[in-house]
Amino acid sequence: METPEARSRAAGAGGAAPPPLLGRAEAEEFLYREARLLDERRFEEWLGLWTGGGRYLVPGGAGDDPGEEAAIVDDDRATLADRIARLRSPAAYAQSPPSRTVRVVSNVEVAAPGAGPSADVHSSLVIFESRLGQTRVVAARCLHRLVAEAVPAEGAGPASPAAGGGLWRIGLKRVRLVDWDRPQGNLTFLL
Amino acid sequence: MARPADGDPGPASEVLVREDRVHRRLYTDAGVFALELERIFERTWVFVGHESEVPQPGDYRTTAIGRQPVILSRHTDGSVHVLFNRCMHRGAVVCRAERGNSTVFRCMYHGWMYDPSGELVGVPFPGGYGDGFDPAEWGLRRVPRVESRRGFVFASLAPEGEGLAEHLGPAARYLDLIVDAAPAGEVVVRAGVERYAYAANWKLQAENLLDGYHPNFTHQVAFEIAERRRGRSGRRANSEGSGATARAFGRGHGALHYGAARRYAPDPGDPAAAAHRRALEERLGPERAEEVLGTDIQLFVFPNLFFQNARQHFRVLRPVAVDRTEVEAYPYALSGAPDEVNRRQVRGLAWWASSAAFGQPDDLEAFERCQAGLQVTAADWVLFARGLHRERQAAGEVVGDVTDEVPQRGMYREWKRLMADGDA
Ligand code: FES
Ligand SMILES: [Fe+2]
């Protein structure tokens, strides 16, 4: 995997100063912040991290196409908003009482960004979830496809030079559970 | 039935199940659970898998009938077999993978080899067995009875008994109705699976799948969200007096039939749905096509199979322990229907039936609350009396209001019959 730093250097050899690319430290900060918003149940702020066309996928099969293999989560932005409305309702009984979570995000790597202002960030995710006297561990590999958006919404996070002075937003989040092929317990909290 | 083995002699099946109620020990007693595996799952017809899961020679999938591991396989001659997954040498499970393709099942322990029909085709160092050893006697044991309908393979561990068609009774007609929605006349099971588990008895799910009383309450939030997205609400089909019916067919099978209260066919304004309808009319004629597309049905085939045509999937129940159950929800493709129709349904299933879904997890919460509440010994009975005074007989079916507990009463009549069989 080519590192963003190496790409920056390589591009810089040609003359004009290249735009800075997303580095690991900044990617980590983004993921840590996302994790904190979820653990603190600040779901509406978390939704602000997404692009309008964002997709949130927890595959239920070996592949990534939710029309070919039934997925565990297959949400567009509007469905994510519905999910949050559900989590806020006391009558969503599978989350009443709600899960408490502490998540550990680690092994963060920024893959070579593709064309355009986007970057793939890979990470490992371990969630300790506690509900009704039971604590579970949920483990997954995550892909965040971050997209630079030019217009920062107020209070939506720090502007980034690597995002062209805009903000990084989640265009795709794919959570691949380590035990995706086993019967799952209650996963109605956000991963 | 035999007495539960937990020290307390306990009541026999005839007093555990009454016409309008069942005893809480059906859900909490490990002795009752062990007997259910023996007298229900390892005796009556149970669903094993669909033929389209093993389309090619050598394809197999592993599953279980009650406690006993089995292999559903397709032989090189195209025939489908249900074999016990137990090496005839010293007992190892021969296939570990859930699915695969192999024209030889080779036991990893000492290398005995079987073909997909179960025949023993190879023994390493055979000289060690002498001349009296006849490989024909040492093939994988076959499940005594295997029959299929519309590609759905059922098996029974009882060597004798009524055939599948007789066992299904009116349920067969509804199974046909569901599969007839495929313009090519068959469904294909190849779009993954939703798997979920819950910490409660298997019968809580079995009861719930045909429980038209609970949705307005358990699923209120999901309905509100769906109605907001569609921009319309209105009387829900799972309401008393909606015209939808709950039915029992005998042998524990039953259905919710939504009649005029809710149609199965998607909005005909949609081009993919319109193409589907045209293809179906061509094959079945307009009258049958309308019956198929107009009938929204949920069908339970006792003890472990459930269909919902409007969400184009079936579910398979696996009892694991008295207080643990696993369920698999398989989307099926309607062969000959536009891809768009099938893909949309696969994606829709994630919304309702996954472990993270908007609908089904609230049912599981209810089951776990029941399992906890049923620990109370001050109350013995779980009540299924709703609609008993107003149910009616029609063409071999018991029919009641959609909110009535008609299918549950039917299920427990069969439970009692099967559990009592074997008592001295
Ligand atoms: S147990 Fe299978 S070859 Fe010995
Ligand atoms: Fe339900």
Side-chain angles (χ1 to χ4, degrees), chain B residues 175-197:
Chain B
L175 175 56
D176 288 346
L177 185 86
I178 289 165
V179 177
D180 275 349
E186 58 183 24
V187 298
V188 176
V189 182
R190 210 176 310 161
V193 55
E194 304 282 4
R195 299 172 208 263
Y196 57 88

Side-chain angles (χ1 to χ4, degrees), chain A residues 71-72 74 82-83 86 94 187, chain B residues 191 194 229 347 354-356 362:
Chain A
I72 297 168
D74 171 20
D82 286 346
R83 202 173 277 280
R86 185 184 140 80
L187 290 179
Chain B
E194 304 282 4
R229 286 289 285 273
R347 298 189 70 175
S354 89
S355 48
D362 293 330

Side-chain angles (χ1 to χ4, degrees), chain A residues 56 72-73 75 79-87 190, chain B residues 356-358:
Chain A
Y56 177 34
I72 297 168
V73 175
D75 284 1
T79 309
L80 270 182
D82 286 346
R83 202 173 277 280
I84 289 168
R86 185 184 140 80
L87 287 169
L190 287 163
Chain B
F358 285 69

Side-chain angles (χ1 to χ4, degrees), chain B residues 208 211 214-215 218-219 352 359-360 362-363 367:
Chain B
N208 166 270
D211 178 345
H214 82 287
T218 306
H219 302 302
W352 184 262
Q360 175 273 122
D362 293 330
D363 290 312
F367 307 161

Side-chain angles (χ1 to χ4, degrees), chain B residues 294-336:
Chain B
T295 308
D296 183 323
I297 190 128
Q298 294 172 213
L299 172 69
F300 183 62
V301 182
F302 185 84
N304 71 333
L305 178 63
F306 165 80
F307 291 89
Q308 183 178 20
N309 64 351
R311 294 190 191 279
Q312 217 172 297
H313 78 290
F314 62 87
R315 297 191 208 189
V316 185
L317 278 55
R318 288 193 180 177
V320 177
V322 68
D323 58 358
R324 176 150 178 108
T325 308
E326 296 176 357
V327 182
E328 298 171 333
Y330 292 88
Y332 56 82
L334 300 172
S335 188

Side-chain angles (χ1 to χ4, degrees), chain A residues 71-159:
Chain A
I72 297 168
V73 175
D74 171 20
D75 284 1
D76 58 14
R77 165 78 186 235
T79 309
L80 270 182
D82 286 346
R83 202 173 277 280
I84 289 168
R86 185 184 140 80
L87 287 169
R88 292 294 185 211
S89 165
Y93 299 106
Q95 279 295 303
S96 179
S99 298
R100 291 198 298 266
T101 59
V102 168
R103 58 197 77 208
V104 179
V105 177
S106 183
N107 303 46
V108 175
E109 293 174 293
V110 182
S118 79
D120 283 0
V121 180
H122 298 277
S123 61
S124 297
L125 172 67
V126 178
I127 304 176
F128 296 87
E129 183 250 356
S130 177
R131 179 169 184 265
L132 292 172
Q134 297 218 345
T135 302
R136 284 195 298 162
V137 177
V138 176
R141 285 287 293 169
C142 293
L143 163 68
H144 285 74
R145 180 154 299 153
L146 299 184
V147 179
E149 284 203 340
V151 188
E154 202 172 334

Side-chain angles (χ1 to χ4, degrees), chain B residues 227-263:
Chain B
E227 286 161 358
R228 197 170 63 229
R229 286 289 285 273
R230 281 201 306 264
R232 68 185 143 85
S233 58
R235 186 185 177 82
R236 294 175 187 152
N238 287 301
S239 301
E240 187 176 49
S242 72
T245 52
R247 305 182 182 203
F249 301 147
R251 294 288 182 258
H253 318 315
L256 296 181
H257 187 305
Y258 285 90
R262 196 172 75 195
R263 290 171 55 80

